[in-house]
Amino acid sequence: MNYLVTGGSGFIGSHLTEQLLKKGHSVINIDNFDDFYNYHIKIQNTLEAIFNFSDFDYSDKEKDIRKLISLSKSEKYSLYYQDIRDKRGLEQIFKTYQIDAVIHLAALAGVRPSIEKPLEYEEVNVRGTMNLWELCRDFNVKKFICASSSSVYGNNEKVPFAETDNVDHPISPYAATKRCGEILGHVYHDLYKIDMIQLRFFTVYGPRQRPDLAIHKFTRLISENQEIPFYGDGTTARDYTYIDDITDGILKSIQYLQNNSGVYEIINLGESEVISLNEMLATIEDALGKSAIRKNLPMQPGDVLKTNADITKARTLIGYKPDTNFQNGIKKFVEWFLRK
Ligand SMILES: NC(=O)c1ccc[n+]([C@@H]2O[C@H](COP(=O)([O-])OP(=O)(O)OC[C@H]3O[C@@H](n4cnc5c(N)ncnc54)[C@H](O)[C@@H]3O)[C@@H](O)[C@H]2O)c1
């Protein structure tokens, strides 16, 4: 099968690409290597996903990405240095390939930065996503998976969060763009019969995790003997999901789309294990064998107090079975981090 993966050089996208290639599929990766975090990391992700090595001589961004593209040319993998806001550029790619399904992961992903740059988030996460649906309509691509987020639940009081809960109260521009994607996605499903699954990921972690996310940031700062910014009193909590469980959930969603038609589903992908900030920090300290130096700070605007996924629907509909507990997942992350 030919899969178009957007954001395939990011954290989740590079793991998904790796799994799809292992299963013998072809992957067309569209990524603009945006500057939300250093493009070197995205080059490393891509190299690890495709070649299982990471040696690379860096010079400047344009040259480096061109070099990566020339290195990674193969029958099974094509990389496009392409922004999803540029519909014309995307169109050339849709013209070139017979695409069986799109897995759309490209986005501006941080919660806090979205408060600084709401318009950019809207352009990428809403307009960029619509460009892809417009082209799916024009080129008759009927299967689409879209990354949504647990952040759409805002400060939902009812736990665990279920797909049937009201999600009309997001508390960050990022969350609102993701909810917008779910709603607009339904329009394209209904009008143009695009089968679609919107996956609400719950804080994903593991090797290659984005450097802006707390687990990665804490691990780096503790290992460098630097202070960690510790927001709130440590009782805020997250349902952390290990990356292999997320890729497994995406692969099962693809399978479901392939076997069914007339589909529009929103599905939570979480671990259903809620870990407080205090517990998260203690687990990292344990894995590193080192204590953190805390800098206590007030809660940040836009941050939700708790996330907790009800994954009954994922289990029954697509056979999702997350099986990495937090202790083991952190051990694997820290091993990866230390081997760098
Ligand atoms: N990591 C998590 O915990 C988490 C949780 C919920 C939802 N998500 C969603 O999952 C998806 C993947 O997240 P991630 O953590 O892998 O993030 P990431 O930032 O590592 O990956 C996103 C990729 O998209 C690319 N991209 C950004 N803007 C683009 C544009 N305009 N055109 C083309 N490519 C662009 C980036 O260069 C990056 O490689 C995102 O949609 C994110 O919102 C992630």
Side-chain angles (χ1 to χ4, degrees), residues 7 60 179 187 259-260 285:
D60 74 72
R179 179 61 185 140
V187 174
N259 295 341
N260 294 278
E285 288 175 324

Side-chain angles (χ1 to χ4, degrees), residues 70-224:
S70 68
L71 275 178
S72 51
K73 270 201 182 99
S74 86
E75 266 175 37
K76 292 281 184 188
Y77 180 82
S78 315
L79 169 60
Y80 286 87
Y81 181 27
Q82 170 68 46
D83 195 308
I84 56 168
R85 285 169 288 189
D86 166 18
K87 185 164 173 256
R88 285 205 174 162
L90 289 177
E91 193 171 0
Q92 292 312 312
I93 302 169
F94 274 76
K95 274 186 185 155
T96 308
Y97 299 92
Q98 184 72 39
I99 297 163
D100 294 302
V102 175
I103 300 116
H104 176 40
L105 302 170
L108 290 180
V111 170
R112 289 174 201 159
S114 76
I115 299 172
E116 308 296 320
K117 296 181 184 170
L119 298 180
E120 209 177 307
Y121 272 67
E122 185 273 336
E123 278 173 19
V124 175
N125 297 1
V126 181
R127 176 57 74 104
T129 304
M130 285 182 80
N131 284 338
L132 291 161
W133 286 325
E134 289 282 298
L135 291 164
C136 285
R137 179 198 61 199
D138 295 349
F139 289 86
N140 210 26
V141 178
K142 295 293 188 194
K143 307 284 175 186
F144 199 101
I145 290 182
C146 196
S148 184
S149 164
S150 61
S151 63
V152 300
Y153 290 105
N155 272 325
N156 207 24
E157 283 183 3
K158 173 192 150 286
V159 283
F161 302 167
E163 294 86 346
T164 47
D165 293 350
N166 180 303
V167 284
D168 291 339
H169 307 95
I171 61 166
S172 67
Y174 167 71
T177 62
K178 287 289 170 180
R179 179 61 185 140
C180 212
E182 295 179 349
I183 294 169
L184 283 165
H186 188 267
V187 174
Y188 281 84
H189 158 72
D190 195 67
L191 291 178
Y192 308 114
K193 309 302 166 217
I194 300 174
D195 294 320
M196 190 177 303
I197 296 184
Q198 295 271 353
L199 293 172
R200 290 181 179 163
F201 300 146
F202 281 67
T203 320
V204 190
Y205 73 103
R208 302 185 210 144
Q209 192 195 36
R210 293 198 333 251
D212 59 301
L213 290 171
I215 290 176
H216 196 155
K217 199 153 97 185
F218 283 6
T219 306
R220 180 176 57 77
L221 293 172
I222 297 169
S223 61
E224 291 170 358

Side-chain angles (χ1 to χ4, degrees), residues 160-162 202 239 268-274 307-312:
F161 302 167
F202 281 67
D239 193 325
N268 286 342
L269 289 186
E271 203 78 39
S272 258
E273 191 191 356
V274 180
T307 65
N308 181 3
D310 180 338
I311 55 171
T312 315

